Amino acid sequence: MRWLLLVAGLLVATVAQAQVDPDPRLIQAADEVALAYVVTGEGDVDSASEAGLRGLSQVLTDRTTVEPGEPIGIDLNRDDLSLLTFLYWPVTETQAPPTPQAYVRLNHFLRSGGMILFDTRDGDIAGLGGPEGAGVLRQLAAPLDIPPLAPIPVDHVLTRSFYLLHDFPGRYQGREVWAEAPPAGAEAAEGVPFRNLNDGVSPVIIGGNSWSEAWAIGENGLPIYSVGSGLDGERQREMAYRFGINLIMYVLTGNYKSDQVHVPALLDRLRREEVMQ
Amino acid sequence: MTGLSFDPLLPWPLIISAAILALLVTVWSLWRGLRGWPLRGLAGLAAAAALAGPALESGIRNKLSDIVVLLDDRSASQSLPGRAAQTDAALDDLTRQIGALPDTEIRRVTVTDDSDGTLIGSALTRALAAEPQTRVAGVVLLTDGQSHDPAMLPSGAPAPVHVLLTGEQTDWDRRLVIEEAPAYGLIDQPVIIRLRIEDQGAVPAEIAQSPARLRILVDGEETRTLDLPPGVPLDLPVVPQHAGQNVISIGFDAPQTSTPELTDRNNSAAIQITGVRDRLRVLLVSGEPHAGERTWRNLLKSDANVDLIHFTILRPPDKMDAVPVDEMSLIAFPTQELFLDRIRDFDLIIFDRYRVRGILMPQYFDNIRRYVEEGGAVLVSAGPEMSTVESLNLSPLGSILPGRPTGRIYEQPFLPELTDEGQRHPVTAGLPGAPVEGQEKHWGRWLRMSQVIPDPNAQVVMTGAEDQPLLIMNRVGKGRVAMLNSDQVWLWGRGFEGGGPQLELLRRIAHWSMKEPELEEEALLADVAGDLSVTITRRTMAAEAKPIRITRPDGETETVNLAQTGPGRFSERWTPPGPGLYRMTDGEITRVMALGPSAPREFEETVASGDKLGPLAQATQGAVLRLSDGIPAVRTVREGRPAHGQGVSRDWIAITPRHATSTSGVTHRPLLPGWAWLLLVAGLALTGWLAEGRGWKLRRA
């Protein structure tokens, strides 16, 4: 009997051994909700992404209960995405499209609750006829299972998941940001100032405001890129951070803030039932 | 047999008109003084008669025997003491008497139990329909008169219907009548059962109006007794205690009197009320937004039966920024309302990676502990904070947690596995994709967990890294606590290394905490199939299941041995001998099972009575007699005469011979052929004409 158990134990041990342990960086990401970015191969873009996510992580740690670890760069062709929650994807003209296997992983990531923020980083020049990121983005995102998109409506939960926001500025502002379109026929419940949209979380957010550059801080803790000018610029940077915080809260808590409007009603009902009894 | 019949060539009115016309002509002729008036009249009448087509019919007539329908009721209520013998004796005697009558046949009909009771009406209607109406000379019913299909009774019969009632004059019965009982009820909300005690028959004076002592048992356990006088309706509030079948049995003992009541089978009733949960209220408290939080939300929000109240600590008290409040979308955590005032309204409180950081005051945790001990439920999904100084274990809640953290955190991939207890525990048993020895395919791994020392009374159903407890479940007081020592169940949802059944696992943990009967570790289940066979299943955490002792409605017991069908599952098929209230026990769990109607319909009313069949007997001039007064003599009377009466020695009932016949070999011959009619009419007319004509006058002249 004892040797049988031993053999069984060995078998289990070999099975366990046969499994490749995941990348320690990814384990870290799963444990600490680390923010991740797609490595594009363009040095300055990648360093801006890393600095940006580090800046956002710093602000989150300072102001909220979310305390992300070090941001990590993701090689889409190699890394397992299932340990991640949030992926920042700057769109550059030179980056090579991921392999089909990577797209399979990306689609699974989107389906199982992950979110990608696509940043075309062209908020300053878009619409002026210059080279635009939109074309490249369309090419990159074509194989992804993305639901119909629409500009984020004013009653989207992103506008109130932590701060109250009206705009989602980055280094640039004024551009529309897109998310999953609200389902047709969604109506505001009585007494609620907004519609209950997106019961799930939009799998993608798309914009061109170059958020990572607005969030980026250097080793010394100071911003790396200038945003706007003077006090207005600093205000815009603050708003960019607030967008970042709202975005991460949205990724992690889903429609929690939408539901909270029902809490007083639920508590009211409990009170009423007590009176009735 | 010979007779005259008519076969008219024209419709009768025309023929009659022709005859009247002939008479008018005759009268006119007489008035005018015509000599041939009688001949004219005869000719007209002969023509009318010819049109009527008179014919001679002849044939042979045979006398037919009379039929007496003799119906005996052999339903369960007729099995009460003495009644079967009474019926047998009456049946023999009547068969002999009727058989002695000339030209009389007997048609025997026997009514037995039907699921709807005693269906005398249908049986009688069917029997009468099968016989020629003109031959039925009498119907005799041997019954206690308790027919359950009065609507099917024929309104009349071609012959007298006699009802001979079994039973004694002194018969009496006290019974329980359930007037109204709901089939469903919300748990912990009273439902009303309306009932009364009814006395029937010749109630002995010593017991009349004296109350019956009702015993009320919920799931086989006596809850209360009360005295209820007969005839007074009672609204009895009953509280379904748990989801699923609540069996309420109500009954009283047979009164002690010199003449015992007919039966005690209608002294009790079993009512099944299916307990239904009101909406479940779950309070989810997330200590921080993290990757697994949406897993909880997805689970609880997809359940339409759950009202979720969710709070996430988005900003701890020790972190501030300079942003004005009106630019923030944060609301205060109504801790006092939730954890002091309203806590009993929740069915489950989930602490999801909650760290003690001064938001909840110690007395709140103390209150939560009390809430659990009084029957509440807490589920802790612990992250690494469990091993820190901000651990829930260090709060007053720690005393009821099923594990004590050691402070060590395993940061390594590990495979969650079921323990032996976990194989048997309904929360984890049969989770799809569970690791099986020697099989390569298994769940995905998790990456971090805290080490805890489990409470000795708690059940460790899953283990993780280095076989350390991962999922621990325990009962505290009347409540339950479950603890998951890792926050990484969401990796299963993400499909990491293939993932796992995260929603199913979390759902079961949450519902086990809320005492869902399907997830009880120790359960005795009885599934009743359509053919009334019962599958008895015992779910247990023990290695063996004891035999089940079953107590039948009549008090006899039998023992059923269960065979193992899976880890912690033992079952056996068993066929109960009949409907009624069965009590199953293995010494630890007792279950009451009601099969069939709450009380058998046959025994609802047992005192013999002619109320239901009397109108039919009266309508046909038949009698309602008691067999206890003697078996009546059978006579014959003419139809329409009273068919019962008192003789010298005993009563008599009568059948009415119908003198029915059948006729065969009928021939049909016209009285005169057509040409003879023509000759007759023409001859009369001609003679009349001649008489009025000159010839007559000439001869006179």
Side-chain angles (χ1 to χ4, degrees):
Chain A
M1 195 61 209
R2 183 167 290 175
W3 64 268
L4 253 178
L5 279 175
L6 195 71
V7 170
L10 276 174
L11 261 173
V12 170
T14 40
V15 166
Q17 289 267 310
Q19 230 164 7
V20 188
D21 276 353
D23 189 338
R25 290 182 312 137
L26 293 172
I27 295 186
Q28 198 80 10
D31 287 348
E32 296 178 345
V33 199
L35 308 180
Y37 61 93
V38 173
V39 176
T40 61
E42 276 188 46
D44 52 343
V45 174
D46 292 345
S47 61
S49 297
E50 195 192 349
L53 293 187
R54 181 176 296 118
L56 181 58
S57 299
Q58 185 62 49
V59 175
L60 280 166
T61 307
D62 288 347
R63 301 186 186 181
T64 75
T65 37
V66 184
E67 298 178 359
E70 277 290 294
I72 56 172
I74 292 293
D75 180 349
L76 290 176
N77 293 335
R78 203 165 45 81
D79 290 328
D80 186 358
L81 302 175
S82 57
L83 297 175
L84 302 175
T85 306
F86 172 75
L87 191 56
Y88 177 71
W89 190 336
V91 178
T92 63
E93 279 178 52
T94 58
Q95 65 184 292
T99 61
Q101 286 86 348
Y103 273 117
V104 170
R105 283 198 292 271
L106 277 166
N107 278 329
H108 184 81
F109 172 71
L110 294 179
R111 259 202 314 278
S112 62
M115 183 210 264
I116 301 177
L117 171 64
F118 283 104
D119 190 350
T120 53
R121 305 177 304 112
D122 56 357
D124 50 343
I125 52 170
L128 299 178
E132 280 190 53
V136 184
L137 172 64
R138 203 166 293 129
Q139 216 176 336
L140 281 177
L144 294 178
D145 296 335
I146 295 178
L149 300 178
I152 293 180
V154 288
D155 53 2
H156 195 276
V157 69
L158 248 180
T159 60
R160 62 196 135 81
S161 55
F162 194 91
Y163 292 106
L164 295 171
L165 295 180
H166 306 293
D167 191 17
F168 311 109
R171 197 170 181 201
Y172 316 115
Q173 64 177 349
R175 288 286 313 283
E176 270 176 347
V177 179
W178 294 62
E180 181 174 353
E187 299 249 342
E190 207 175 319
V192 179
F194 39 79
R195 296 168 290 170
N196 188 9
L197 300 178
N198 299 328
D199 207 329
V201 172
S202 174
V204 293
I205 304 281
I206 296 175
N209 288 345
S210 196
W211 289 288
S212 66
E213 291 177 6
W215 297 334
I217 53 169
E219 297 290 326
N220 53 7
L222 293 175
I224 299 177
Y225 299 92
S226 66
V227 172
S229 59
L231 275 178
D232 282 353
E234 285 315 304
R235 175 82 184 157
Q236 186 177 334
R237 191 191 300 280
E238 166 65 18
M239 287 300 164
Y241 278 131
R242 291 187 190 177
F243 166 68
I245 289 174
N246 270 18
L247 181 69
I248 298 305
M249 290 298 175
Y250 173 54
V251 172
L252 294 178
T253 64
N255 52 359
Y256 163 61
K257 274 292 172 188
S258 271
D259 282 359
Q260 257 193 339
V261 294
H262 302 303
V263 167
L266 281 173
L267 289 175
D268 254 4
R269 213 172 74 203
L270 296 185
R271 268 176 231 131
R272 268 204 312 279
E273 280 175 14
E274 192 172 57
V275 170
M276 275 162 58
Q277 282 170 16
Chain B
M1 172 215 89
T2 311
L4 185 66
S5 71
F6 290 92
D7 188 13
L9 297 171
L10 289 173
W12 278 113
L14 284 181
I15 295 173
I16 291 166
S17 315
I20 291 171
L21 191 67
L23 284 174
L24 285 175
V25 168
T26 313
V27 171
W28 177 77
S29 309
L30 188 62
W31 176 62
R32 290 292 304 262
L34 294 180
R35 277 185 305 263
W37 65 268
L39 293 169
R40 282 176 185 250
L42 283 175
L45 287 176
L51 287 174
L56 271 180
E57 250 181 12
S58 58
I60 304 157
R61 184 176 295 180
N62 299 316
K63 180 156 175 35
L64 293 178
S65 61
D66 292 317
I67 293 172
V68 176
V69 176
L70 189 53
L71 180 146
D72 58 324
D73 174 2
R74 298 288 178 173
S75 60
S77 58
Q78 281 280 83
S79 66
L80 289 172
R83 290 190 178 179
Q86 268 182 322
T87 313
D88 286 341
L91 198 61
D92 284 352
D93 196 58
L94 290 172
T95 310
R96 199 173 37 73
Q97 289 194 55
I98 297 169
L101 295 174
D103 287 332
T104 308
E105 289 176 50
I106 295 175
R107 293 281 188 277
R108 283 283 309 281
V109 179
T110 300
V111 178
T112 53
D113 275 331
D114 188 276
S115 53
D116 290 332
T118 310
L119 305 183
I120 291 180
S122 320
L124 186 58
T125 305
R126 226 174 10 243
L128 288 177
E131 306 299 341
Q133 295 289 297
T134 50
R135 292 179 61 194
V136 177
V139 178
V140 181
L141 309 177
L142 295 171
T143 173
D144 57 7
Q146 299 298 352
S147 161
H148 294 119
D149 57 347
M152 289 299 290
L153 270 181
S155 55
V161 177
H162 302 290
V163 181
L164 305 185
L165 296 175
T166 56
E168 302 290 330
Q169 281 286 1
T170 54
D171 279 351
W172 74 281
D173 192 40
R174 172 168 281 189
R175 68 170 180 138
L176 174 70
V177 184
I178 304 293
E179 292 181 343
E180 199 178 293
Y184 290 87
L186 288 180
I187 294 170
D188 291 337
Q189 306 266 338
V191 294
I192 299 292
I193 297 174
R194 177 169 299 159
L195 52 87
R196 68 186 149 85
I197 304 286
E198 193 179 277
D199 281 345
Q200 294 173 319
V203 186
E206 66 211 80
I207 199 78
Q209 294 310 311
S210 72
R213 170 144 298 187
L214 280 179
R215 278 174 291 109
I216 292 135
L217 286 78
V218 176
D219 286 332
E221 283 176 27
E222 184 144 356
T223 52
R224 55 196 281 211
T225 57
L226 51 90
D227 289 342
L228 183 65
V232 180
L234 170 73
D235 284 348
L236 177 72
V238 173
V239 181
Q241 300 287 346
H242 55 84
Q245 213 180 62
N246 292 263
V247 179
I248 320 276
S249 28
I250 304 169
F252 59 88
D253 289 331
Q256 297 298 322
T257 49
S258 50
T259 320
E261 66 168 335
L262 274 178
T263 179
D264 59 3
R265 291 190 65 174
N266 55 14
N267 290 7
S268 59
I271 299 156
Q272 307 186 44
I273 299 177
T274 305
V276 183
R277 278 172 181 278
D278 199 359
R279 289 173 69 84
L280 299 170
R281 302 201 182 91
V282 178
L283 175 60
L284 171 60
V285 184
S286 297
E288 61 187 86
H290 67 105
E293 183 175 331
R294 267 166 57 202
T295 306
W296 283 111
R297 290 184 57 78
N298 284 344
L299 169 73
L300 296 167
K301 292 204 49 141
S302 63
D303 194 339
N305 221 8
V306 168
D307 274 341
L308 172 67
I309 295 192
H310 185 188
F311 281 95
T312 305
I313 313 296
L314 293 181
R315 188 173 72 172
D318 55 332
K319 293 183 186 176
M320 294 299 287
D321 56 18
V323 177
V325 173
D326 61 350
E327 292 178 23
M328 318 248 335
S329 169
L330 302 183
I331 64 168
F333 190 9
T335 50
Q336 177 175 345
E337 171 147 34
L338 292 175
F339 294 105
L340 279 184
D341 306 341
R342 303 255 79 84
I343 186 163
R344 268 160 197 82
D345 293 330
F346 293 105
D347 297 289
L348 172 65
I349 300 177
I350 302 175
F351 285 103
D352 170 35
R353 287 195 70 171
Y354 189 79
R355 58 175 76 213
V356 179
R357 48 171 125 215
I359 293 175
L360 297 188
M361 287 193 274
Q363 62 261 40
Y364 294 169
F365 284 115
D366 220 31
N367 205 30
I368 297 170
R369 183 180 55 73
R370 215 160 30 239
Y371 153 80
V372 172
E373 283 165 356
E374 288 169 7
V378 162
L379 168 51
V380 177
S381 167
E385 78 286 337
M386 193 46 126
S387 303
T388 65
V389 291
E390 294 177 321
S391 166
L392 271 179
N393 181 54
L394 301 175
S395 74
L397 199 58
S399 62
I400 60 164
L401 291 186
R404 191 164 50 79
T406 60
R408 179 167 175 199
I409 296 173
Y410 294 97
E411 303 228 6
Q412 67 194 59
F414 65 88
L415 180 63
E417 285 182 278
L418 302 185
T419 61
D420 284 349
E421 282 191 315
Q423 304 268 8
R424 290 197 286 268
H425 201 291
V427 166
T428 42
L431 275 181
V436 179
E437 265 182 42
Q439 204 173 326
E440 291 231 357
K441 209 170 145 52
H442 53 68
W443 292 331
R445 291 179 294 172
W446 298 359
L447 304 175
R448 178 172 66 183
M449 66 176 277
S450 321
Q451 187 187 38
V452 302
I453 298 170
D455 186 289
N457 297 323
Q459 285 164 336
V460 178
V461 295
M462 286 176 93
T463 53
E466 297 180 9
D467 285 337
Q468 291 294 322
L470 178 63
L471 175 59
I472 314 175
M473 318 184 85
N474 197 9
R475 288 155 193 258
V476 178
K478 291 184 197 158
R480 298 174 182 204
V481 186
M483 187 165 164
L484 186 61
N485 295 314
S486 172
D487 59 332
Q488 297 208 317
V489 67
W490 63 275
L491 287 178
W492 275 1
R494 281 289 164 77
F496 172 64
E497 294 183 349
Q502 44 121 18
L503 281 182
E504 179 63 14
L505 176 64
L506 296 181
R507 187 192 71 78
R508 289 198 203 172
I509 300 173
H511 283 261
W512 172 84
S513 312
M514 295 186 282
K515 301 177 186 166
E516 162 101 35
E518 280 172 23
L519 294 171
E520 289 300 292
E521 302 96 312
E522 302 292 330
L524 185 58
L525 311 170
D527 293 320
V528 184
D531 57 352
L532 277 191
S533 77
V534 179
T535 306
I536 302 171
T537 305
R538 175 77 163 93
R539 209 164 49 212
T540 179
M541 296 298 287
E544 291 284 318
K546 292 180 199 156
I548 306 291
R549 204 175 71 246
I550 300 171
T551 311
R552 294 192 199 157
D554 55 11
E556 293 198 15
T557 59
E558 69 175 289
T559 306
V560 174
N561 287 308
L562 304 182
Q564 183 155 15
T565 54
R569 286 182 80 87
F570 303 83
S571 70
E572 189 62 58
R573 259 171 94 85
W574 173 71
T575 310
L581 194 65
Y582 291 83
R583 175 194 287 263
M584 301 185 285
T585 182
D586 69 344
E588 285 162 18
I589 299 189
T590 302
R591 213 193 121 93
V592 175
M593 174 177 66
L595 286 174
S598 63
R601 189 159 187 192
E602 275 296 317
F603 293 101
E604 275 178 13
E605 293 182 59
T606 49
V607 177
S609 149
D611 291 351
K612 287 174 184 153
L613 301 172
L616 175 62
Q618 211 167 14
T620 56
Q621 297 196 314
V624 179
L625 298 175
R626 289 186 168 277
L627 284 174
S628 54
D629 299 339
I631 301 164
V634 180
R635 299 183 182 178
T636 56
V637 297
R638 266 186 291 131
E639 278 180 66
R641 305 286 305 209
H644 63 96
Q646 280 182 329
V648 180
S649 59
R650 50 181 178 169
D651 292 342
W652 56 267
I653 56 173
I655 61 170
T656 54
R658 300 297 298 273
H659 307 296
T661 55
S662 73
T663 308
S664 58
V666 176
T667 56
H668 183 93
R669 213 174 55 241
L671 209 57
L672 283 178
W675 56 265
W677 281 113
L678 178 67
L679 215 61
L680 182 66
V681 175
L684 283 171
L686 190 67
T687 318
W689 177 65
L690 282 175
E692 288 166 20
R694 242 183 304 169
W696 193 273
K697 215 185 279 177
L698 279 177
R699 220 171 31 234
R700 294 268 301 262

